[in-house]
Amino acid sequence: MKVEDLFSVRGRIALVTGGSRGIGEMIARAYVENGARVYISARKAEACDALAKELSQFGECISIPADISTMDGVAHLAAELAKREKRLDILVNNAGASWGASFAEFPESGWDKVMDLNVKSVFFLTQRLLPLLEAAGSPDFYARVINIGSIEGIRTTHLEAYSYAASKAGVNHLTRLMAKFLAPKHIAVNGIAPGYFPSKMTAGISDEDNRETLAGTPLKRMGQPDDMAGIALYLASRASAFVCGAVIPVDGGLATTA
């Protein structure tokens, strides 16, 4: 099989949550530029609409703003997609949030906000979209769910982001559990555990902490859009046809150091 066929997503239908910026934007852009019809969702409608308009210069990109930290938002997004499509080939559960505070001062709100968006929405949005995913999957080509975890759910970080680290460990393991039980429905579930990429989340980290992180990264740099595009295309294409339940670090080796 030719490389361009092996890694192709042309003609596939994808939904990327948290798709208006950061890692979500990197993934959405990769899919659009390689021939998929891509829906992006984010809480802020203006940003979501603006990126969809920009990416539509290169292919098909449609904005469906939604706040999936709530069950109403999850239901809204699933219903809006079902109005437009009869199948969903690729679901990327990327929307996420973080919260930093010392152990003694960490608030309940910082726990619940992060858990609701980072873990709960992954499970229930996939559940609501199950009919569309099942419609897309077949024995020859499984539908794909790609959950965005984090290496902070694998390693012990130097940052006091308790709910974030716990939530991403939850996503990493939820990915394995979903993979086991959705595979019989012709849906392959895998995860990406990113390291440090340019995003609003990493922009909030102090310069000192960023320097410490980069110093501990064997490849000595942050991730770039092409780094995320490559793994996202791989997990959505025939190239990963025999990959199921994997959580793949994309972190320059940082998870090996702590």
Side-chain angles (χ1 to χ4, degrees):
M1 181 177 289
K2 294 181 178 180
V3 169
E4 54 265 34
D5 295 326
L6 193 61
F7 288 89
S8 176
V9 294
R10 186 166 300 281
R12 303 290 171 182
I13 299 166
L15 169 63
V16 181
T17 67
S20 67
R21 66 189 185 200
I23 286 172
E25 178 183 347
M26 295 174 196
I27 294 173
R29 188 178 296 273
Y31 290 162
V32 170
E33 291 180 349
N34 285 279
R37 179 159 69 248
V38 180
Y39 291 85
I40 59 172
S41 184
R43 181 173 57 86
K44 295 182 179 179
E46 185 176 340
C48 198
D49 293 344
L51 183 63
K53 183 178 180 180
E54 177 190 339
L55 294 185
S56 292
Q57 301 174 68
F58 309 104
E60 293 184 85
C61 189
I62 303 100
S63 169
I64 307 180
D67 178 3
I68 60 170
S69 67
T70 70
M71 288 301 290
D72 285 345
V74 167
H76 169 74
L77 177 55
E80 287 299 311
L81 187 65
K83 289 178 184 177
R84 295 165 168 82
E85 301 291 349
K86 294 182 179 180
R87 74 176 205 273
L88 179 62
D89 300 292
I90 307 159
L91 169 61
V92 180
N93 287 309
N94 168 72
S98 186
W99 195 293
S102 69
F103 188 87
E105 298 175 347
F106 205 94
E108 183 181 8
S109 59
W111 189 269
D112 292 346
K113 175 185 176 180
V114 171
M115 288 293 178
D116 284 350
L117 183 56
N118 293 13
V119 185
K120 185 176 178 179
S121 74
V122 170
F123 180 86
F124 284 104
L125 181 61
T126 307
Q127 182 191 69
R128 292 295 182 101
L129 292 173
L130 187 59
L132 294 182
L133 291 163
E134 287 186 282
S138 70
D140 182 59
F141 200 104
Y142 281 38
R144 309 299 172 89
V145 175
I146 303 170
N147 296 330
I148 307 302
S150 172
I151 63 156
E152 305 298 39
I154 299 173
R155 71 176 195 140
T156 303
T157 178
H158 64 286
L159 301 172
E160 289 192 278
Y162 297 100
S163 56
Y164 180 78
S167 74
K168 291 303 186 177
V171 170
N172 292 345
H173 197 64
L174 179 60
T175 295
R176 300 180 186 101
L177 196 61
M178 290 169 63
K180 180 176 181 177
F181 289 102
L182 295 186
K185 302 178 184 294
H186 303 131
I187 301 166
V189 183
N190 292 290
I192 301 171
Y196 282 58
F197 281 76
S199 68
K200 183 179 179 182
M201 193 176 296
T202 56
I205 298 172
S206 72
D207 290 342
E208 181 181 352
D209 283 327
N210 273 323
R211 283 193 295 271
E212 182 175 343
T213 298
L214 291 177
T217 302
L219 294 189
K220 302 302 180 186
R221 66 172 177 87
M222 294 184 75
Q224 297 301 318
D226 283 352
D227 300 321
M228 188 53 58
I231 189 67
L233 289 167
Y234 168 70
L235 288 177
S237 67
R238 193 172 295 278
S240 62
F242 201 50
V243 179
C244 185
V247 177
I248 302 174
V250 183
D251 66 345
L254 182 58
T256 68
T257 64

